[in-house]
């Protein structure tokens, strides 16, 4: 339940932006912060919160985070100014960062039987995907009947149920030898991740600008200082020895790159469906529900299949299928409508499902019990970074191809409209609406053809990356016999002394 609610909050706001803008009158910068601050602070706080959960107790941190999440949701719903809404969304982000690694770590500790563990993680991932998938739909339904603040209140009943019954159903878990929390590491972690994610998003959104580029560079520099400090500490905030485990680091790499591809291509696909295929935002969102549902079904079915097909080959086979889906991108053209891209996304999501279902299981199975919260935070931080990096790279590549190709089709387009078209297809479509019919048709045709060529290039690059990932999966997981994570080598975990420790036991 908390996983579903936190991920739903990523997207439930999107359709409400026009109404809250009319009500609160935020500036352009404030509007961007209203949308972005939630994800930014989740990404920035995950590592810290995961480690805090290991120290104070994962159930305790889950309840604290959930309570703050509920309070912040009410504050956001009844915000009377842009500043109040931004602050509420920021608090929601910090609370969400406390909730999500706690959930994944609790699941890993609660279900020690491999069969139960793999099913629990599949259900967890289904809830994660379900929240992100249903967010816009739930937001649209609420906005049909209520004011914009209702999109925040939808999570409150679930939080109340969690707090009321969770203490009777969930065991407490914490590390036996966690050590003292290092405040300097916490500050360095935030000072590294927050500027890095902010710079990445702004460069992806607006292109090259000095301030976000400086923020990105400063985040990398502080990150290097953070890493050096972790190597020296007896009880680090982030135990870098976890990355020495082949299974953990390989699973993390696979999840990161698929997040890069998924984040970049999804942005291009949503733009294609609206600006090229001509769908409304709601129609495009409803169309993309089907591929997401197929991925959820694939996630739930994968663990059983993995008992008959080794995870290495199941993941690799799925990635080849997904790569074929990205090749289907090249069959779309500016007049083919949405069906080709729809079919391609269905194939991609089905093919990616085995990786999504098994890599969480394999990564968390390679983490020592005392480090479950920290491991969970790393897994989720990599996904956050991957999506942002995908928008900054793959989506930017598609946009660059668009800008290069649209130039040759502008012809006699008036200068102002031509300048708008060179910026993005969104601006090209808006500019075409102000032109006479013949010029409008020529501009739309040129912009749509150019954007479709960008989708083709992104599809080819994605397919090549997925073939590379398939080869990596075979090499990295060939020692894993089944979805239980049974191993044929001695590479079980980077911290054998922690693995041999008795896992945290439930407290009364």
């Amino acid at each position: 339940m908390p996983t579903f609610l936190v991920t739903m909050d990523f997207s439930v706001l999107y359709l409400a932006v026009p109404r809250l803008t009319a009500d609160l009158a935020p500036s352009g910068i404030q509007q961007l912060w209203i949308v972005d601050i939630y994800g930014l602070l989740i990404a920035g706080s995950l590592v810290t919160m995961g480690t805090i959960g290991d120290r104070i107790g994962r159930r305790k941190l889950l309840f604290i985070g959930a309570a703050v999440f509920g309070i912040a949701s009410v504050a956001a719903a009844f915000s009377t100014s842009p500043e109040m809404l931004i602050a509420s969304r920021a608090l929601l982000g910090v609370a969400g960062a406390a909730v999500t690694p706690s959930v994944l770590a609790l699941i890993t500790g609660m279900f020690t039987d491999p069969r139960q563990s793999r099913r629990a993680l599949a259900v967890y991932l289904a809830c994660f995907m379900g929240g992100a998938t249903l967010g816009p739909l739930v937001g649209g339904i609420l906005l049909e009947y209520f004011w914009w603040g209702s999109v925040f209140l939808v999570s409150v009943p679930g939080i109340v149920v969690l707090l009321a019954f969770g203490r009777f159903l969930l065991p407490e878990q914490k590390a036996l030898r966690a050590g003292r929390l290092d405040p300097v590491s916490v500050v360095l972690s935030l000072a590294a991740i927050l500027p890095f994610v902010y710079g990445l998003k702004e460069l992806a959104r607006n292109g090259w600008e000095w301030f976000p580029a400086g923020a990105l560079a400063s985040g990398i520099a502080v990150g290097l200082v953070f890493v050096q400090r972790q190597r020296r500490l007896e009880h680090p905030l982030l135990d870098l020895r976890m990355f020495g485990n082949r299974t953990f680091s390989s699973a993390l790499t696979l999840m990161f790159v698929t997040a890069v591809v998924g984040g970049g291509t999804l942005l291009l696909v949503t733009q294609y469906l609206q600006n090229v295929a001509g769908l409304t935002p709601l129609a495009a969102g409803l169309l993309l529900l089907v591929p997401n549902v197929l991925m959820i079904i694939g996630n739930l079915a994968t663990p059983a299949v993995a008992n008959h097909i080794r995870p290495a080959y199941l993941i690799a086979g799925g990635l080849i299928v997904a790569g074929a889906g990205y090749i289907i991108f090249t069959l779309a053209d500016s007049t083919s409508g949405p069906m080709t891209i729809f079919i391609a996304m269905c194939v991609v999501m089905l093919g990616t499902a085995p990786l999504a279902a098994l890599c969480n299981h394999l990564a968390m199975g390679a983490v020592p019990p005392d480090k479950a919260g920290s491991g969970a935070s790393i897994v989720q931080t990599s996904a956050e970074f991957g999506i942002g990096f995908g928008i900054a790279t793959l989506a930017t590549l598609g946009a660059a191809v668009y800008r290069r190709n649209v130039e040759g089709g502008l012809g006699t387009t008036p200068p102002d409209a031509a300048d708008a078209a060179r910026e993005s297809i969104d601006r090209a479509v808006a500019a075409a609406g102000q032109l006479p019919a013949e010029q409008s048709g020529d501009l739309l045709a040129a912009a749509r053809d150019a954007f479709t060529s960008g989708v083709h290039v992104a599809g080819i690059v994605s397919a090549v990356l997925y073939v590379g990932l398939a080869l990596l999966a075979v090499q990295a997981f060939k020692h894993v016999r089944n979805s239980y994570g049974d191993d044929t080598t001695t590479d079980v975990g980077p911290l054998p002394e922690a693995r041999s420790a008795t896992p945290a036991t439930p407290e009364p």
Side-chain angles (χ1 to χ4, degrees):
M1 185 182 296
T3 298
F4 179 87
L5 296 175
V6 170
T7 55
M8 187 172 64
D9 243 46
F10 272 104
S11 54
V12 74
L13 177 66
Y14 291 160
L15 295 177
V17 170
R19 291 196 188 179
L20 70 87
T21 299
D23 190 11
L24 300 181
S27 65
I29 296 296
Q30 288 174 328
Q31 183 174 315
L32 290 176
W33 278 112
I34 288 170
V35 174
D36 287 348
I37 193 68
Y38 178 71
L40 181 65
L41 281 175
I42 281 187
S45 307
L46 277 171
V47 170
T48 298
M49 290 300 178
T51 305
I52 289 175
D54 288 339
R55 284 162 165 77
I56 71 170
R58 293 151 198 158
R59 185 183 70 172
K60 181 183 292 184
L61 183 63
L62 171 64
F63 289 171
I64 293 171
V68 174
F69 195 89
I71 293 169
S73 296
V74 174
F78 295 100
S79 293
T80 57
S81 68
E83 293 81 5
M84 181 178 176
L85 183 54
I86 291 170
S88 301
R89 290 277 288 170
L91 192 58
L92 277 169
V94 175
V99 167
T100 48
S102 300
V103 171
L104 185 53
L106 279 170
I107 289 173
T108 303
M110 287 167 61
F111 299 100
T112 55
D113 175 75
R115 187 179 300 273
Q116 292 181 339
S117 176
R118 70 186 187 191
R119 289 176 180 171
L121 286 170
V123 171
Y124 159 81
L125 189 60
C127 292
F128 191 94
M129 287 291 299
T133 300
L134 293 178
L137 184 61
V138 171
I141 293 172
L142 289 171
L143 291 169
E144 188 73 21
Y145 300 101
F146 305 104
W147 93 114
W148 59 264
S150 63
V151 301
F152 296 110
L153 294 180
V154 70
S155 63
V156 175
I159 295 296
V160 171
V161 170
L162 171 67
L163 295 175
F165 296 101
R167 65 184 301 268
F168 303 109
L169 300 174
L170 302 177
E172 181 60 284
Q173 301 169 7
K174 65 174 68 173
L176 298 179
R177 300 188 300 272
R180 184 173 56 86
L181 187 68
D182 178 41
V184 175
S185 293
V186 172
V187 173
L188 287 173
S189 170
L190 294 173
I193 296 174
L194 290 176
F196 182 86
V197 176
Y198 167 78
L200 204 59
K201 285 188 173 185
E202 288 302 302
L203 290 173
R205 177 186 287 133
N206 301 318
W208 176 262
E209 293 180 355
W210 284 109
F211 186 75
L216 185 66
S218 70
I220 294 172
V222 176
L224 294 174
V225 176
F226 172 79
V227 168
Q228 291 301 318
R229 184 173 181 82
Q230 302 317 293
R231 288 175 173 169
R232 295 194 303 267
L233 292 175
E234 181 182 359
H235 300 288
L237 181 70
L238 178 62
D239 195 332
L240 300 175
R241 291 178 293 173
M242 285 189 287
F243 294 96
N245 177 272
R246 176 174 59 167
T247 300
F248 181 78
S249 58
S250 298
L252 211 63
T253 300
L254 287 164
M255 288 188 285
F256 174 78
V257 177
T258 51
V260 170
V261 173
T265 55
L266 183 59
L267 179 59
L268 293 173
V269 164
T270 54
Q271 290 178 311
Y272 175 91
L273 292 176
Q274 294 176 70
N275 294 319
V276 179
L279 299 183
T280 65
L282 180 58
L286 290 172
L287 191 71
L288 291 174
L289 275 178
V290 178
N292 285 334
V293 170
L294 289 175
M295 186 174 186
I296 291 172
I297 294 172
N299 289 336
L300 295 174
T302 291
V305 178
N307 285 330
H308 305 283
I309 303 174
R310 282 201 175 207
Y313 303 117
L314 183 56
I315 292 171
L319 288 169
I320 295 297
V321 170
Y326 282 119
I327 291 295
I328 297 175
F329 276 30
T330 63
L331 302 180
D333 61 44
S334 60
T335 60
S336 61
M339 192 51 60
T340 302
I341 290 294
F342 171 73
I343 294 171
M345 289 300 295
C346 288
V347 175
V348 165
M349 290 301 199
L350 275 175
T352 308
L355 180 147
L358 293 175
C359 276
N360 268 301
H361 182 73
L362 293 170
M364 292 304 296
V367 173
D370 279 4
K371 302 290 183 181
S374 180
S377 69
I378 295 170
V379 168
Q380 292 168 337
T381 301
S382 71
E384 293 291 329
F385 278 2
I387 292 171
F389 196 71
I391 294 172
T393 54
L394 202 57
T396 300
L397 173 64
V401 173
Y402 162 80
R403 284 192 292 269
R404 185 191 66 189
N405 290 346
V406 77
E407 187 68 40
L410 293 177
T412 59
T413 303
D416 289 346
D419 289 341
R422 293 185 187 99
E423 290 294 321
S424 68
I425 190 171
D426 299 286
R427 296 193 62 185
V429 171
Q434 308 299 317
L435 298 176
E438 184 176 351
Q439 288 182 323
S440 175
D442 291 342
L443 176 56
L444 285 176
R448 287 168 174 168
D449 284 341
F451 191 82
T452 303
S453 65
V455 172
H456 291 172
V457 171
I460 293 170
V461 172
S462 299
V464 171
L465 286 172
Y466 267 42
V467 171
L469 288 180
L471 296 175
L472 172 62
V474 171
Q475 180 62 31
F477 301 138
K478 63 183 180 182
H479 62 291
V480 181
R481 293 200 301 267
N482 52 40
S483 67
Y484 301 157
D486 291 343
D487 205 324
T488 59
T489 74
T490 57
D491 179 24
V492 177
L495 300 173
E497 73 281 359
R499 268 198 170 275
S500 63
T502 304
T505 54
E507 293 180 358

